[in-house]
Amino acid sequence: MAVRVPSSLSSARRWSLARQLLVLQLVLVGLLVGGGTVLAYLDAAQATDDKAAEEVVSVAATLADSPGVRDALAAADPSAELQPFAERVRADTGVDFITIMNRDGIRYTHPNPSLIGKRFIGNTGPALRGTLFTETYTGTLGPSVRAVAPVFDDDRGVAGLVAVGITVESISKELSERLPPVLAVAGGVLVAGVAGSYLVSARLRRQTRGVGPAELSRMFEYYEAILHSVREGLVLVGRDGRVVLCNDAARELLGLPADVRGRPVGQLGLVPGLVSTFVSSEPASDELHVTDTRVLLVNTMPVRSRDRMGNVVTLRDHTELQSLTGELDTVRGFAESLRSQAHESANRLHAVVSLVELGKVEQAVEFATAELETAQQLTDRVVGAVAEPVLAALLLGKSSEASERGVELVLTEDTAMQDPAPHIGPRDLVTIVGNLVDNAVDAAIETAAERAPRVTVTVRADERELLLRVADTGPGIADDAASDIFRRGWSTKPGGGEAGRGLGLALVGQAVRRHGGTVEVANAPGAVFTVRIPLR
């Protein structure tokens, strides 16, 4: 069975958040002002009643203690003296009636002279017992607030009674005089509340662009779902350098804890290059940054409205791609080494053929045998010393490549790696040794005019650690640059800060740190890089 929603309720649900807030505020202000007005009225009424009671008690007590009243009650005609006196007092104090009577309640004074001599209408019992009391009673002048006080003679006996009253009509008139200021204040508060509510609603309407709460809730849910489902890392950094938003992918890529919102970027434990990129006011496009475990591609874009609000930072994991690129470079190096060897073999074969054609067969055989022995000795030396086949192939390929560039690559006599390291994959070995050898060959070529270029490689493993040492005959590393060489972008080559430059040593440092190792840098006289990785 279909349920039809009333049109008024449906339209209310479609109201914008600003309009709903305005209506809510108006209702709240109205209730507060109405409640305040009622309370103020009740307070004023109570204050008026209390004032009237205090006034009649004061007048009644004063008259009861007056010696003239006591003396007049003992006179032959009390009314002759008391009536003029009571009327003067009534005119001076503003009360509505003053009735002086004997113990039996027979009036000696009254605002209406015709009622003098008649019995007082009201209670007199407490006063006859010597107690002043107040009450609200309906008498000849209508409902009134009255006080009845006893008049004591010289022996402290009750000689008569004094009743002083103010009619409820007079009290209501005084209360009505107090109402206009209360209503004026209530009206002013109401106007101020309505104006404030309208201003708040107008500002909220500008901020929410007139969107209703249901739509805002859906938008928030959609944005939250998208934010946490995308594979790219997203970080919003405020103008003050604090994290405004960080999705799940960014926390995983950066190794951050669950809740980093509101924390300064500089206190997240990021590498300095990332921190400066995150807070920079200049946009960044596809910057490569190397952390302890990942290679990240970072883009930043400042967000502006009236002024700069902060940065939007996107992160992409470039680790696997960089590893594949390194493997591709290695394969390309192998192919280049094979090409070089093929070219060299072709030259040697031509030399052998030419010697045979010249009839110098013995010289041809001797030349061919010597070249074959040299090549075989290098192969046997590498394969016999290094049990890891990928690392052995890398060293053979780098040897041929270095030879073609005029650099001698030497494997030291103490090189010995009989068992492959189980927890250090071939990919990381290729990354560490390949990049160190490439940098060493480039450095050795720089000083080729001064000394024969040479690169010396040591690979040694025992039960405790794996040692990888690469030394060159180049110019060495400056002392002030030793702490920066494993930072992305550091390079001695022209254009070292450009994309693709200065990344090799950063990847070396990342791979070593990933396995809990260390890298030492020294000059002797060229650069010597010593990598130690614990074998546990």
Side-chain angles (χ1 to χ4, degrees), residues 185-219:
V185 172
V189 172
L190 182 62
V191 170
V194 171
S197 300
Y198 177 78
L199 293 176
V200 171
S201 175
R203 179 174 178 81
L204 184 62
R205 186 183 302 112
R206 289 195 301 270
Q207 296 292 334
T208 60
R209 301 184 180 182
V211 179
E215 187 175 354
L216 278 176
S217 177
R218 286 195 300 270
M219 290 171 59

Side-chain angles (χ1 to χ4, degrees), residues 183-259:
L183 295 178
V185 172
V189 172
L190 182 62
V191 170
V194 171
S197 300
Y198 177 78
L199 293 176
V200 171
S201 175
R203 179 174 178 81
L204 184 62
R205 186 183 302 112
R206 289 195 301 270
Q207 296 292 334
T208 60
R209 301 184 180 182
V211 179
E215 187 175 354
L216 278 176
S217 177
R218 286 195 300 270
M219 290 171 59
F220 179 78
E221 292 174 357
Y222 293 156
Y223 292 158
E224 280 286 308
I226 294 172
L227 181 66
H228 294 290
S229 62
V230 294
R231 298 182 61 185
E232 286 192 352
L234 178 64
V235 181
L236 300 184
V237 181
R239 184 170 50 186
D240 57 355
R242 296 180 179 270
V243 177
V244 178
L245 183 146
C246 181
N247 70 347
D248 298 341
R251 286 197 295 269
E252 181 180 357
L253 293 175
L254 297 173
L256 300 177
D259 188 12

Side-chain angles (χ1 to χ4, degrees), residues 134 249 319 414:
T134 61
T319 307
D414 59 344

Side-chain angles (χ1 to χ4, degrees), residues 277-312:
T277 300
F278 275 31
V279 300
S280 174
S281 60
E282 298 298 326
S285 177
D286 292 341
E287 279 192 5
L288 275 175
H289 289 267
V290 180
T291 67
D292 287 345
T293 57
R294 298 181 185 273
V295 178
L296 301 177
L297 201 63
V298 181
N299 290 273
T300 65
M301 179 61 66
V303 179
R304 303 178 186 275
S305 57
R306 296 185 182 89
D307 55 0
R308 180 171 174 266
M309 298 173 59
N311 289 340
V312 177

Side-chain angles (χ1 to χ4, degrees), residues 128-202:
L128 291 174
R129 293 191 292 271
T131 302
L132 186 152
F133 72 97
T134 61
E135 66 174 352
T136 300
Y137 199 88
T138 302
T140 57
L141 298 180
S144 62
V145 175
R146 61 182 66 180
V148 181
V151 180
F152 296 103
D153 56 18
D154 295 338
D155 298 329
R156 296 301 295 173
V158 178
L161 303 174
V162 176
V164 179
I166 299 177
T167 62
V168 172
E169 181 180 358
S170 299
I171 296 174
S172 300
K173 182 178 179 181
E174 182 178 354
L175 178 61
S176 63
E177 293 175 354
R178 292 191 177 192
L179 281 181
V182 173
L183 295 178
V185 172
V189 172
L190 182 62
V191 170
V194 171
S197 300
Y198 177 78
L199 293 176
V200 171
S201 175

Side-chain angles (χ1 to χ4, degrees), residues 320-502:
E320 292 297 326
L321 180 59
Q322 192 64 41
S323 299
L324 293 176
T325 302
E327 292 182 2
L328 180 60
D329 291 340
T330 302
V331 172
R332 186 181 293 114
F334 289 160
E336 187 65 22
S337 298
L338 291 175
R339 184 197 63 77
S340 300
Q341 291 178 2
H343 181 71
E344 193 68 19
S345 297
N347 291 336
R348 293 167 182 168
L349 182 59
H350 289 158
V352 171
V353 171
S354 298
L355 288 173
V356 171
E357 290 177 348
L358 294 174
K360 298 181 180 181
V361 178
E362 293 180 2
Q363 291 86 342
V365 173
E366 183 181 353
F367 177 78
T369 303
E371 291 297 326
L372 181 60
E373 289 178 355
T374 302
Q376 190 62 40
Q377 286 176 359
L378 177 62
T379 302
D380 293 342
R381 177 79 183 88
V382 173
V383 174
V386 181
E388 175 60 58
V390 175
L391 183 56
L394 175 69
L395 291 174
L396 288 173
K398 293 298 181 182
S399 176
S400 299
E401 184 179 349
S403 177
E404 186 178 18
R405 299 178 63 185
V407 178
E408 180 184 7
L409 191 147
V410 179
L411 200 64
T412 60
E413 294 296 331
D414 59 344
T415 293
M417 183 179 178
Q418 299 304 324
D419 296 321
H423 71 290
I424 304 175
R427 178 181 297 179
D428 287 336
L429 288 175
V430 168
T431 297
I432 297 171
V433 177
N435 283 292
L436 289 180
V437 170
D438 286 342
N439 284 342
V441 170
D442 292 338
I445 293 176
E446 292 183 21
T447 58
E450 302 173 9
R451 50 184 174 266
R454 175 181 294 182
V455 173
T456 304
V457 179
T458 302
V459 179
R460 189 172 64 246
D462 55 25
E463 295 180 355
R464 296 179 303 169
E465 67 178 11
L466 170 65
L467 182 141
L468 304 171
R469 179 178 290 119
V470 178
D472 60 64
T473 57
I477 303 297
D479 294 337
D480 57 353
S483 60
D484 297 329
I485 58 177
F486 295 104
R487 176 176 50 82
R488 184 201 67 82
W490 186 92
S491 177
T492 59
K493 305 169 187 176
E498 299 175 359
R501 292 287 191 181

